[in-house]
Amino acid sequence: MAGASTAQFGPLSVKELSVKAEDFDFNPSIALKYWLRTADTLLREALIYEQENNDQQAFLLLMRYATLVAYKLPNHPSAREPEYRLGLRAADKTLPRVLDQLELLKPRINARYDAWHKALQRRGVASMAVESERPSSQTQFDLTASDPAVAGNTVTLAAAENSDLAIRLAHKEIRRRETRRRATRQTGVSPEQEQERRTAGPWEDLDSAGTKKSQHSDDDEMRRNMEDAKRRMDGENGMAAGTVKKRITDAPPRPTRPLAQRENSEYRYPSIQKSQPLRDTAASISRTSSPTYGIPPLPPKERNDITVQTGPPAIPEKTTLHRPDSMSSLKSPPSFTFRPSAYLENGKPLRTVFLPQDLRHKFLQVAEPNTRRNLETCGMLCGTLISNALFISKVVIPEQESTSDTCDTINESAFFDYCAAEDLMVLGWIHTHPTQTCFMSSRDLHTHCGYQVMMPESIAIVCAPSKSPEWGVFRLTDPPGMYSVLNCHKTGLFHPHDEPNVYTNALRPGHVFEADGLQFELVDLRPQ
């Protein structure tokens, strides 16, 4: 397998994971709806990592989720507003299950950590000396090796260099999840019940029957759950989960691109610097004790076609498979996870995002009627997480209102209901510039800030079919872009920002890789 390497550093301890879990900035000026969606994304990711036996990353995400829900969200300025009560109550109900899951993961993490140190001691390597080598520098390899999603894994793969394997695994897993959802619905569970159970948390007992309570009773239960969660978290980890450092800013990101008149401006759009990929260094410590993250059986070979539809997708038909040459001689495939492919400016790794190669062409075909009338069109990039890589599997076009320079999404609840029903993560967005060049306008930057708060790997694709270059894949720099946009109070479509490098290219050698043959579906939710 191309780009395979072994881990230089061993697994992380529960204490280390807890510290990393609390290392995030909670900004109360960001709209509460974004934080609620962030919490939902954390929980979805944690469940996938747990199902893939990636205990370290599952623990980190669950711990971060519990910290966010128990300590941060109740203190948000908008927490008492009626429109958020239901979302906060649903998140609170998950806390007991999340804390129970953390308890189940802790002994497994500790056992693996202890076994690794004992193995080193048997080879005459002092445990304390190795611990002192835990990367504190900001080199690319150190950042990868200290990432809980890959630290201590026997084999990590470069996702882009193993795209054939990644695509086959993605097709199989996406089809398996769709089959599972269909099976659930065939048992007689209504969409409303399914959504309620999903909101109640991934470990909710599907056979349990809930009872409706009064608002007063729900509030009391929520308060008790939060207090219990705080006691358990403080007691178990020997530290207060609420001691996360804050960076308070004033301007929340704008979730949509408001309709406004274009202003005359001599604004020079920010320069774009290239992201740098993570590169391996030599040297590794072979471990006698390792986890067993087995590769799933290789899936049937997929058709490289694209389906445009306006309703739920059909399950692709299965065909025969020819194993790739790199795997054909292995009776028992090695354990692996995809390692990050790039990093933020602050040093945090970015997981690879696989982008279907034909996605923008198909999107532009659907957007053509608007483009001819000089109207923008936007779509949401949705997908899933598999083996520490992100796969875009759907483009969902929500209801929207457009001008030549803006595109407002409307009826957002329908879009998020669809994502919840299809178990999709929002990985970014795509939109057209019918007559303008390919760049991120000020409104685009404010819009994308909301996506990147929810997931650092979120991307913005801009299509300018009448200009050159015709398209680009972007993300905000962090720092300085995220901080600059969050603190921006200026108005207007084309206002300047103080920092010169607010956004950057994300396409390879960034963290986004175009994958030939990766299937996707385009779902149009606009009224026909």
Side-chain angles (χ1 to χ4, degrees), residues 20 59 108 135 197 240 290 326 345 374 385 397 415 483:
K20 285 179 176 290
F59 183 93
R108 302 209 298 254
R197 292 169 178 176
S290 63
S326 60
E345 289 70 21
N374 194 26
L385 167 69
I397 302 181
F415 165 70
Y483 185 80

Side-chain angles (χ1 to χ4, degrees), residues 21-150:
E22 296 176 358
D23 183 20
F24 72 96
D25 293 315
F26 180 76
N27 187 334
S29 66
I30 294 175
L32 183 53
K33 69 176 181 179
Y34 286 110
W35 285 118
L36 286 169
R37 292 171 189 169
T38 299
D40 179 73
T41 299
L42 289 172
L43 204 53
R44 289 175 185 270
E45 292 184 73
L47 175 58
I48 293 172
Y49 279 112
E50 193 272 338
Q51 290 174 338
E52 294 178 345
N53 297 321
N54 197 329
D55 293 342
Q56 291 185 146
Q57 188 69 359
F59 183 93
L60 181 145
L61 292 171
L62 290 174
M63 189 68 183
R64 183 166 293 171
Y65 175 87
T67 302
L68 181 62
V69 172
Y71 285 89
K72 301 302 181 182
L73 298 187
N75 295 319
H76 192 280
S78 301
R80 295 186 179 276
E81 294 179 10
E83 62 182 299
Y84 296 118
R85 294 183 66 85
L86 183 61
L88 289 171
R89 194 175 302 133
D92 168 71
K93 289 181 179 179
T94 66
L95 279 176
R97 293 297 186 101
V98 167
L99 295 177
D100 289 344
Q101 191 68 15
L102 285 169
E103 282 298 294
L104 291 175
L105 292 173
K106 284 174 63 176
R108 302 209 298 254
I109 293 171
N110 287 331
R112 182 182 176 212
Y113 180 82
D114 293 341
W116 183 77
H117 280 280
K118 289 178 181 178
L120 290 177
Q121 291 174 339
R122 285 197 297 269
R123 293 198 300 272
V125 181
S127 175
M128 185 175 298
V130 174
E131 184 65 24
S132 67
E133 294 177 3
R134 181 74 71 193
S136 56
S137 63
Q138 294 296 297
T139 66
Q140 296 174 14
F141 184 74
D142 287 348
L143 289 167
T144 305
S146 63
D147 179 5
V150 299

